Amino acid sequence: MGPRVEYIPEPEPLPGELETRKLKRRVATVALGLGVVALIAAFAPGLGEVRDRLADAQPAWLLLAVALELGSCLSYVLMFKPVFCRRMTWRSSYELGMSELAAGSLVPASGAAGLALGAWALRKSGMAAEDIARRSVAFFVLKSGTNFVAVAVLGILMFAGLGPDLSPLLTLLPAILSIATIGLVALAPQLTGRVTRGPRWVTASFAALDQGVRESGRILQRREWKVIAGSLGYWAFDNAVLWATFHAFGESPPITLILMGYLIGQLGGLLPIPGGIGGIDGGLIGTLIVYGVPAAPTAAAVFAYRVILFWLPLVLGGIAFAQLRRGLEDPERADLCDPLRRPVRRNRTRVAI
């Protein structure tokens, strides 16, 4: 009787930027960066008022800020399942969503690294690559769309007289740019659907954008309350973290300034800097000061906000990622995406035993 033949799936490699060795290096880099910022705040001349603010921090407000950041993370998880796979369990949605947030805290770039990790996990669990690409674009559009809508609405309201009196350059102009961006995204299927020539990666990218925007429209037409609530919660709770850290240091600027400063300042997160050190921080501090918030409490509040924004998703997401990797190696676990998941999967190699 010949040898028994068993099929074993080839392992799906992690994206290069998410290899364990590189992630450990990024954690060390970001921790060192935050430490350097803390040393500068503690010893650099001319920052006495910032040091006084940090020394007088109110722990209750900082604890509230941590709780609010947890709310933002859970809102991300809430919208993950209905966008990617409504059949997966909330356990899987939590592990995937929190893993993405952990990766995003190390390489912000508007969450691109987190989506890459999620795509790897979903591909490894058996989801087709074209489905992952389409739904990843839809998730990004739905998650980011809240920011642009908020800038448009808030900018118009502030221009009309809500909150402090500011220049139209700080109110109406951001609103117009946001409306233009929303319009371009809405027209993306008509524009990108005509790109049929060029390098394969270009046509594939435009096709994914086309299908992703259409998918986001279909999700909204289904009136998926979890997606809408998750997107709003992810944005609102994160704004509230910054609001709470300002109160922790004895400052309470108008909420309109915090919201608009947050929305524009977060553009610094587009830079692929480990932990967003310098990009997000500089964008937030600079924007809020331009909007008239005092410099010393702004620096203290943003520093506390960034520490919370980095460490909470990283710790919780790191634990979730460890659980996710064990689940991906367990052929009996059928809850990751498809309840029909079986030990035999795609990309199989034949091994005689």
Side-chain angles (χ1 to χ4, degrees):
M1 188 175 178
R4 181 167 57 89
V5 176
E6 178 175 292
Y7 292 97
I8 301 174
E10 292 180 356
E12 294 278 349
L14 266 171
E17 289 299 314
L18 301 174
E19 294 176 353
T20 302
R21 175 176 53 84
K22 291 185 178 181
L23 287 178
K24 289 181 178 179
R25 186 183 304 166
R26 286 184 179 276
V27 171
T29 301
V30 176
L32 179 61
L34 289 172
V36 169
V37 172
L39 288 174
I40 292 174
F43 299 106
L47 297 179
E49 188 177 352
V50 176
R51 286 190 285 272
D52 292 339
R53 295 277 186 167
L54 290 170
D56 294 334
Q58 301 178 43
W61 280 104
L62 294 178
L63 288 174
L64 176 60
V66 172
L68 291 168
E69 180 58 27
L70 179 59
S72 178
C73 294
L74 294 179
S75 297
Y76 187 98
V77 171
L78 179 66
M79 68 179 298
F80 190 93
K81 175 182 173 179
V83 171
F84 282 97
C85 183
R86 287 184 286 180
R87 294 189 302 271
M88 74 169 59
T89 63
W90 286 113
R91 168 194 176 188
S92 294
S93 183
Y94 176 83
E95 290 177 359
L96 281 161
M98 288 304 303
S99 297
E100 287 194 1
L101 289 171
S105 70
L106 292 173
V107 188
S110 287
L115 289 175
L117 186 148
W120 165 81
L122 291 168
R123 187 73 184 97
K124 189 173 174 65
S125 71
M127 184 179 286
E130 56 271 21
D131 291 337
I132 296 172
R134 184 180 72 254
R135 294 171 190 177
S136 294
V137 172
F139 187 87
F140 181 82
V141 169
L142 293 168
K143 176 176 69 72
S144 304
T146 303
N147 287 344
F148 288 98
V149 172
V151 170
V153 173
L154 187 62
I156 292 173
L157 290 176
M158 292 177 70
F159 175 73
L162 179 67
D165 185 22
L166 297 172
S167 165
L169 292 176
L170 300 176
T171 55
L172 189 59
L173 179 60
I176 292 173
L177 293 176
S178 294
I179 293 171
T181 302
I182 294 170
L184 286 174
V185 172
L187 293 173
Q190 285 72 34
L191 299 176
T192 59
R194 299 176 183 176
V195 180
T196 57
R197 296 182 180 180
R200 185 176 179 181
W201 69 269
V202 173
T203 57
S205 298
F206 277 107
L209 176 60
D210 176 16
Q211 294 300 316
V213 173
R214 293 179 187 274
E215 179 74 11
S216 65
R218 286 191 290 268
I219 292 171
L220 290 175
Q221 288 176 356
R222 293 200 305 262
R223 297 180 181 179
E224 290 275 7
W225 72 266
K226 296 183 183 69
V227 174
I228 297 172
S231 178
L232 289 173
Y234 180 71
W235 165 77
F237 280 120
D238 203 43
N239 273 270
V241 175
L242 187 58
W243 167 82
T245 56
F246 266 107
H247 281 76
F249 299 108
E251 191 70 26
S252 54
I255 189 65
T256 52
L257 296 186
I258 293 178
L259 291 174
M260 189 61 92
Y262 168 92
L263 292 165
I264 298 176
Q266 284 287 341
L267 293 176
L270 293 172
L271 301 174
I273 304 171
I277 300 297
I280 296 177
D281 311 82
L284 282 173
I285 293 173
T287 305
L288 287 165
I289 290 175
V290 167
Y291 275 94
V293 185
T298 296
V302 169
F303 176 72
Y305 165 79
R306 292 294 295 119
V307 169
I308 294 169
L309 190 65
F310 173 70
W311 282 111
L312 185 67
L314 183 63
V315 172
L316 295 180
I319 297 171
F321 183 56
Q323 296 170 339
L324 176 64
R325 295 197 70 169
R326 287 196 295 269
L328 289 170
E329 300 303 327
D330 180 6
E332 299 301 321
R333 179 174 172 179
D335 67 328
L336 279 163
C337 177
D338 193 335
L340 299 179
R341 187 168 181 248
R342 292 290 183 265
V344 178
R345 288 176 282 181
R346 296 185 180 90
N347 301 325
R348 299 174 293 183
T349 55
R350 194 177 182 190
V351 180
I353 55 176

